[in-house]
Structure formats: C-alpha cells, structure tokens
Amino acid sequence: MKPKLVYPQRIILPIIVALLGVAGCDSGPAQESGANATGHTAPTDITSRINTEVLEQRPFSNREDFDNARRGLIAQDPSLVVEGENGAAIWNMPEYGFVDEHGENAPASVNPSLWRQASLNNIHGLFKVTEGLYQLRGFDLANMSIIEGDTGWILVDPLTSRETASKAFLFAQEHLGKKPLKAIIFTHSHIDHFGGVMGVLQHLSDEEKRELKIIAPEGFEEEATSENIIAGPAMTRRAMYMYGKRLERDERGHVGTGLGKGPAFGTFGFAEPTQLVSKTGSELTVDGVRMVFQIVSGSEAPSEFTFYLPELKAFCGAELVSRNMHNLYTLRGAKVRDARIWSAFIDEARSRFSDADVYFASHHWPLWGQDNIQDFLVKQRDTYKFIHDQSVRLMNRGFTPNEIADNLQLPAALNQDFHNQGYYGTVSHNAKAVYQNYMGWYTANPAKLDPLPEAESAERYVKMMGGADSILEKAQSDFDAAAEMSTVEGKKAYRWLAELLNHVVFADPGNQQALSLLAQVYDQLGYQAESAPWRDFYLTGAYELRHGGPDEGIKPAAMTDVLLNTPVSLFFDSMAVRLNADDAEGESLRIKVTFTDLGESYLLTLDNSVLHNRETSSDTPADATLKLTRPLFVDILTGEAGLKDMLFSDDISFEGSKLDLLGFFSMLDKPEGKFNIVTP
C-alpha cells in the first residue's frame, strides 16, 4: 500500500511551539551586582552547599553510563549545527560545549546530578548498538534508530524536524553506505518521533516511496495531529517555560531538558501510516526482520508501542522507559498519566521480552546484558509503582498533595541508580499527579473550596502583613540569613520566600524591589533543581520578572497545519472553546459548513452561549451555509484570510445570511498565547 504523504508543513504542538522566537521588553528591575548579561545572579553560599551535598547522595564515581553512552561510536560531527529555511540555527550542539565532557566539576549554579545528565546527553553521533542495529543520538531531542533488513533499512522515529532528520539520515548514509529504505516505524504520537519524516522521504526514490511501509500503533494518526488542540494556546505558553526557550545556554541558564538537549524547531511533516498495530503480541516481518509488539498506549503517550527483535535479542523500549524518571504530569500542561498502569506495562515488557540482551529506546543511550536490563526494568517499574502506592497510602490517611510531595522520598534501594532520578519528572510533582488522578484539585479543606483569585488575595495578604515595604524588609533579611542556615532550612527559606514575594508582586506588579528579590530567589531555586524543567521554569520566571513577558505569543495561524491534519470533529471542537460567551449571549444560529474538497457537511448550532457540531447532510436547512475547501476555512479561522476576503473570494459560496456568518466568526476569540505567568 502506498503511504499517503503530506508534504512539508508546520505542525505546531507544545513541544515545538515552545521554540518559537519571542522577544521581551526590558521593563523589569535593575541588574543586580554580580549578575550576568541576562540578569541571573550568582549562586549564593547556601545554594553552593546544597549542590555540594548532592555529590554525597549517589555514586558519582560510577562511570558505567558514560561508557555505555560512548560505546559503539562510529562517527561524530563536533560542529553539529543544523540551519532552518531562514538560515537560523534550529539545532546547535556546540552551544552546550560549556558542559564538562565527563560530567564533573559542576559549577555552583547547576545541580551536580543534572550537570552529569547534561554531559551524558551531550554525547552525540552515529553508534553501532549491536550487529544490524544503529542509532543516531544528539541530532535532535529524540533518537533515530536504524535496523538492517535483508535488502535495506528500517528506520525508527525520524526525529522532530525535516532539517534535523535529513542531517541525521545523510550522516548515516555517509558512514554506513546507502541502502534502500523499506519501512519507517513511529513508536508513538509525540512530534519529536515523527515530525521529521519528510527529511527522510525527500532522499528516497519514487519507487522507494511507493513500496515504503509506515508502521505505527493504533490511534496514532488522531493522537499525533490532535494533541493539545483544545488547550493549545495555554500549553504552548507554558512550554516556553518548561524548555527554557528564552534562556541562554550557559551555566546560569538552560543546560538541557533531562530527556535530551531540547526540541528542534524547523519544518515539520506528517506521513499517514500504512499499517497499524493494535494488539500486544502482534508480529510483523519486515524485510526479513521479525518484530514482536507490545501496546503501551496510555503510559507515556496516548498511542504508543514497544517492540522486540528476537533474532537480535534487542528490546526497543520506545518512551515507556528512559534513563530518567518521566512525567506522570507534564509541567507544560497535559492529562495526568496513570502510574499504576505505566508500572504494569514495564513489568509486562520485562517478562515478555526477558531474553533481551540489548535495550535501546527513543531517548538516551542503550544498555547491554540480560541482568543489567532486568535490573533497569525492575527499578523503573518499581519507581512508578512506589510513587503511586505511597502517594495513595498517604492520601488515604488524609495528607494533602503538598504534604505528600514534601514527605515522599524514594527508598534507598531506588535512590542509588541515576537512571530513575528526577531529571525530567520528579517525585514531588509526580506524587501530586497521583493525587490529582484520584481526587482532582480539591483537598476537601473548605478554605480551598472558593478562594479569591490570586491578585485579589495577594492584595489582602500584603495589607494584613503591614504593606509591601514591611514585607520586603523582612524578606531581604530572611534571604540574607539563609547563608547561615542548614541546607535543609536554607532551601525551605527560599521556597517560603518565593511564596511570600509572589504575593507582593501580584499585589503590586510595579514594585521593582519585589520583582528583583523574587527573581533572585527563583535564580537560587533554579540552580538547586535536579529536574531540568524545574530549573527552566524557575530561571524563565526570573528572566520574565526582569525583562517582561514575550512581545509576541502564538498567533492562531501557527495552528494551521495542526487543524489541517486534525479529524474534522476535533477541528470544530477547537472552535467551540474559542466562543466568547458574552458576545454570544442571546444569540441562536444554525451555520452549515460544506467542505467541497471532502464532500462533507457539518451543522454548527449556537444556543445558550454554547456551540455544538455534528455531521449532517448537504440539504439540512440552516440560517447560513458556507461552501469552501477545508484549507480555506482554516485560513479564515486562524486569521490568514480575513472576513472581507471571505466575502469577496471566488473560492467561497454562500447561502442564506452573510450577516449571520460574519456575526458568528466575530464571536470567536483569537488567543495570542502571551499571557503573564509570574505577574498578574
């Protein structure tokens, strides 16, 4: 079956939109003494001591990960820079050259454990994993793997962008020789594992494209194109924080994501799978290579599989397991993942593929040896199960999410390995995710049932505490006093000051002293964080307190190609959440949209300030009917084509009231995605 190819386009999902270039205004506090060019202050003495203590908590002298990460290196590009269409670098490994290649000598401004992980993620190139299996690592956030078949290659996860995927694919051909591509495997529905597909397809002959198999888990197409459509503007703004978009790559800025270095932003594509795998135990033989699949949808991604290569005794863990603790809740915003199910999938993989001598995955470096792999899977399994079980135990005893997060620590048996540490997810926010999964946002305390909005409660807090000047005097005293505290109390002092000063900033966002002191606190909490997303959130918060928010957010047009590849029902659902209820008050409309290119009609019904949609027949009566192609409708919806364009376009036909149509479109919000986060 010939794959349906959708040629180069912009598919903007939160992991990608996080990389959009944004500028900020310099309206924040004056630069502090000892600050670097972007305003980040020097690590304090207590931060230095906190980070030094980390070196005593785990066996940093163990070099096995570094040996594994370098094992099988065939070739490396020391100046690996990939440029986009406008000549700007979309991938720049030399930017991370400030990280010590051995993961040692961490500066006081970086948690030594995160520094070690950043160093490991700097190791990039083309690697031989085992006979007939290769990986390209460090060309993007994810890995691209190559399996040798009888007559050609099977490629696993073609990265995020066309440009990085092309660079990696050509690099592999340069050093391994050119072979026909027989199949592409998408392990799951996140864009860093399929968005670069056109960078590979552009190098194939027409015959290769005709015969190419594209294999994915069931549900892949819908999940890959529709993720975060509903809440996309909010998620993409938060993703700017999670991935440190506005931070410099240096010792006081972004050092990596824990999962890799960062997402690549270039040109993104999509190819429709030719074969979907729906059941665990399903087997396929592709170009002589036998594959056994395990469906793990609902663990790290809503559509995902792992697979096993019996002849190579190689297990591809996709993103079910990684060389870090993953997120049960993603800080950019996402549906909570079920730790109990996730743990069970890992246990199933451990038993089903127990003969594996090689583990490789969508991120990080491989592992060799049955005993090593089994130990790795057991500890990964038990990490998620421990967080789940102990969070629920404490929840059932009446502990709140904050209390659970503050008290829960991995047991010693799970705290000596590096591969399950909180470089991406953390015990703290994953424990809260378990609580949220069962109990939602409410702790049952009546005081939390109907609190005032943040800015209003902040004003009352500040007034009750004697005003901003009094609070700032005490806060500065506590900040200075932290230098003499124990590391435990010093860190708590910073956490408390973050909460306290946030009240002052929300009560009086123009108070430069409050902005400055809170930014200094965020600097220190960022420097102490083992989790890369925590570090980037704190340091981006500090950056925006000093420089303001972005001048430009995400324009609706940025979602164009997502909408073009989204099932039509979800496409209209995304319109419903943009309806301004105040503008729609008292309105009752029936709008029919007929897509001339799809041969489909949909009826939009507006009543009670609520918009519904359903597929209908072409002769269904309506107040107004709009006939056009879906791409043109998306242009109108996203603002690429204005309402006047709609009225005078030869590609659009109308029936009924044009006034009703114009009125309907004027009720839809156009979210800019640049709202404030650290200020009201």
Side-chain angles (χ1 to χ4, degrees):
M1 177 181 177
K2 181 181 177 181
K4 176 185 175 183
L5 306 180
V6 182
Y7 284 86
Q9 56 186 318
R10 300 280 176 184
I11 297 181
I12 311 297
L13 298 179
I15 195 170
I16 301 305
V17 177
L19 298 167
L20 286 177
V22 288
C25 56
D26 263 330
S27 59
Q31 192 172 44
E32 296 293 325
S33 175
N36 66 8
T38 53
H40 292 295
T41 51
T44 60
D45 178 67
I46 187 65
T47 290
S48 179
R49 286 193 283 125
I50 287 170
N51 283 340
T52 298
E53 283 188 0
V54 173
L55 294 171
E56 306 301 320
Q57 296 170 4
R58 283 188 214 104
F60 279 82
S61 60
N62 187 331
R63 308 301 296 172
E64 184 177 340
D65 282 338
F66 285 89
D67 294 339
N68 286 337
R70 295 188 175 105
R71 178 171 170 174
L73 178 64
I74 294 172
Q76 186 179 73
D77 182 355
S79 56
L80 178 55
V81 178
V82 181
E83 294 182 347
E85 294 176 345
N86 60 1
I90 62 171
W91 188 255
N92 191 330
M93 282 300 293
E95 276 191 333
Y96 296 98
F98 66 91
V99 180
D100 181 273
E101 65 176 323
H102 303 295
E104 299 172 341
N105 306 307
S109 58
V110 185
N111 182 296
S113 187
L114 178 59
W115 183 256
R116 178 185 183 278
Q117 183 79 349
S119 177
L120 285 160
N121 283 329
N122 272 13
I123 300 170
H124 63 281
L126 172 65
F127 300 83
K128 181 177 180 179
V129 179
T130 191
E131 199 64 41
L133 176 60
Y134 303 88
Q135 274 196 324
L136 293 128
R137 302 199 294 271
F139 284 78
D140 204 320
L141 178 64
N143 300 332
M144 178 190 291
S145 300
I146 296 172
I147 304 165
E148 286 188 335
D150 289 345
T151 62
W153 284 353
I154 302 162
L155 191 148
V156 184
D157 288 353
L159 307 184
T160 311
S161 77
R162 185 192 70 195
E163 294 85 353
T164 54
S166 173
K167 181 85 169 181
F169 187 67
L170 293 178
F171 194 79
Q173 287 185 327
E174 177 186 351
H175 295 282
L176 300 178
K178 292 185 178 181
K179 291 189 177 182
L181 189 63
K182 296 297 182 178
I184 294 175
I185 295 174
F186 298 142
T187 61
H188 57 295
S189 54
H190 292 155
I191 198 171
D192 52 323
H193 305 278
F194 70 84
V197 65
M198 295 310 305
V200 174
L201 296 178
Q202 72 184 39
H203 299 298
L204 305 187
S205 67
D206 290 340
E207 181 180 357
E208 281 181 281
K209 292 177 186 177
R210 283 193 299 270
E211 296 180 356
L212 185 69
K213 295 180 179 179
I214 299 180
I215 303 164
E218 186 175 43
F220 170 83
E221 186 172 5
E222 180 174 332
E223 296 294 348
T225 57
S226 66
E227 186 191 38
N228 303 320
I229 290 294
I230 299 297
M235 290 181 177
T236 53
R237 172 68 174 115
R238 289 162 59 123
M240 293 180 187
Y241 272 66
M242 180 169 173
Y243 297 108
K245 169 61 186 103
R246 305 182 73 192
L247 301 176
E248 293 295 320
R249 275 56 177 147
D250 61 29
E251 294 177 358
R252 296 187 192 178
H254 175 80
V255 299
T257 68
L259 198 63
K261 302 315 299 181
F265 179 69
T267 305
F268 309 98
F270 182 84
E272 184 179 303
T274 64
Q275 188 158 7
L276 296 175
V277 178
S278 60
K279 293 182 179 180
T280 293
S282 298
E283 295 193 21
L284 293 176
T285 299
V286 182
D287 195 31
V289 177
R290 182 171 157 236
M291 303 177 181
V292 183
F293 293 88
Q294 177 201 19
I295 299 297
V296 297
S297 299
S299 57
E300 190 274 336
S303 173
E304 184 164 1
F305 58 43
T306 72
F307 63 88
Y308 182 60
L309 306 173
E311 278 66 42
L312 300 182
K313 290 191 173 183
F315 168 55
C316 176
E319 212 161 330
L320 177 68
V321 284
S322 303
R323 305 294 295 182
N324 56 215
M325 185 190 303
H326 218 297
N327 289 306
L328 299 179
Y329 165 73
T330 301
L331 299 182
R332 63 171 170 82
K335 295 177 182 179
V336 168
R337 299 154 183 173
D338 192 323
R340 185 177 60 86
I341 292 174
W342 197 330
S343 176
F345 278 138
I346 298 174
D347 192 50
E348 180 184 57
R350 185 184 71 86
S351 300
R352 185 174 287 272
F353 308 132
S354 59
D355 289 339
D357 282 329
V358 178
Y359 153 82
F360 68 106
S362 299
H363 293 277
H364 303 128
W365 51 96
L367 194 60
W368 292 265
Q370 285 187 23
D371 290 343
N372 292 331
I373 294 169
Q374 285 291 308
D375 182 70
F376 166 66
L377 293 176
V378 163
K379 287 175 179 172
Q380 287 272 315
R381 175 199 69 184
D382 289 349
T383 296
Y384 297 111
K385 190 71 160 55
F386 175 86
I387 293 172
H388 172 273
D389 292 354
Q390 295 306 307
S391 296
V392 172
R393 180 181 71 85
L394 293 172
M395 177 186 79
N396 284 334
R397 290 180 57 193
F399 285 77
T400 66
N402 286 346
E403 290 170 335
I404 296 170
D406 200 50
N407 285 283
L408 198 62
Q409 294 182 350
L410 291 179
L414 294 176
N415 206 28
Q416 287 303 299
D417 293 277
F418 289 96
H419 66 76
N420 60 337
Q421 299 307 318
Y423 305 122
Y424 199 50
T426 68
V427 173
S428 176
H429 76 254
N430 281 343
K432 293 178 182 179
V434 173
Y435 188 102
Q436 180 183 339
N437 189 47
Y438 287 101
M439 294 297 195
W441 59 268
Y442 184 45
T443 65
N445 184 331
K448 305 294 184 181
L449 190 58
D450 190 25
L452 291 171
E454 287 82 353
E456 186 172 346
S457 65
E459 290 179 7
R460 293 170 184 259
Y461 271 117
V462 169
K463 183 178 180 180
M464 182 70 73
M465 289 187 285
D469 290 344
S470 174
I471 295 172
L472 288 170
E473 181 180 352
K474 294 173 183 175
Q476 184 66 60
S477 176
D478 283 359
F479 184 87
D480 295 338
E484 306 301 323
M485 295 179 186
S486 69
T487 52
V488 171
E489 290 304 314
K491 189 161 190 173
K492 285 184 177 181
Y494 286 139
R495 290 166 63 192
W496 159 242
L497 287 171
E499 183 177 347
L500 177 67
L501 292 166
N502 184 64
H503 284 310
V504 181
V505 168
F506 268 69
D508 181 9
N511 189 313
Q512 298 301 306
Q513 185 181 353
L515 293 170
S516 176
L517 188 52
L518 181 54
Q520 292 176 64
V521 170
Y522 283 162
D523 282 345
Q524 303 310 314
L525 289 172
Y527 299 158
Q528 295 166 20
E530 184 176 42
S531 164
W534 280 39
R535 177 184 176 90
D536 284 344
F537 259 92
Y538 280 127
L539 296 183
T540 301
Y543 182 92
E544 292 199 354
L545 286 168
R546 293 178 172 117
H547 304 285
D551 289 334
E552 286 189 353
I554 308 307
K555 297 179 180 179
M559 302 300 290
T560 295
D561 288 302
V562 181
L563 295 172
L564 285 173
N565 288 283
T566 299
V568 173
S569 60
L570 290 176
F571 166 71
F572 284 119
D573 286 344
S574 73
M575 292 176 59
V577 300
R578 291 173 51 195
L579 180 71
N580 187 312
D582 292 336
D583 292 344
E585 179 76 29
E587 299 290 341
S588 180
L589 287 173
R590 303 292 180 271
I591 305 293
K592 186 171 64 179
V593 180
T594 296
F595 295 112
T596 56
D597 52 339
L598 302 179
E600 298 174 1
S601 295
Y602 292 81
L603 184 67
L604 309 182
T605 305
L606 173 61
D607 285 303
N608 305 314
S609 294
V610 175
L611 182 65
H612 295 278
N613 73 85
R614 62 179 175 84
E615 191 168 1
T616 190
S617 61
S618 59
D619 58 357
T620 298
D623 297 317
T625 296
L626 186 62
K627 294 182 179 180
L628 73 177
T629 63
R630 184 165 71 161
L632 184 53
F633 189 49
V634 171
D635 283 345
I636 294 168
L637 191 64
T638 59
E640 288 294 279
L643 296 181
K644 290 182 179 179
D645 297 321
M646 181 173 72
L647 288 173
F648 298 106
S649 173
D650 294 332
D651 298 320
I652 300 176
S653 63
F654 303 91
E655 294 176 4
S657 171
K658 288 186 179 180
L659 207 56
D660 284 343
L661 277 172
L662 291 174
F664 170 71
F665 281 105
S666 70
M667 297 176 197
L668 301 179
D669 271 351
K670 297 179 177 60
E672 296 180 328
K674 61 175 186 177
F675 52 81
N676 291 337
I677 291 178
V678 290
T679 55

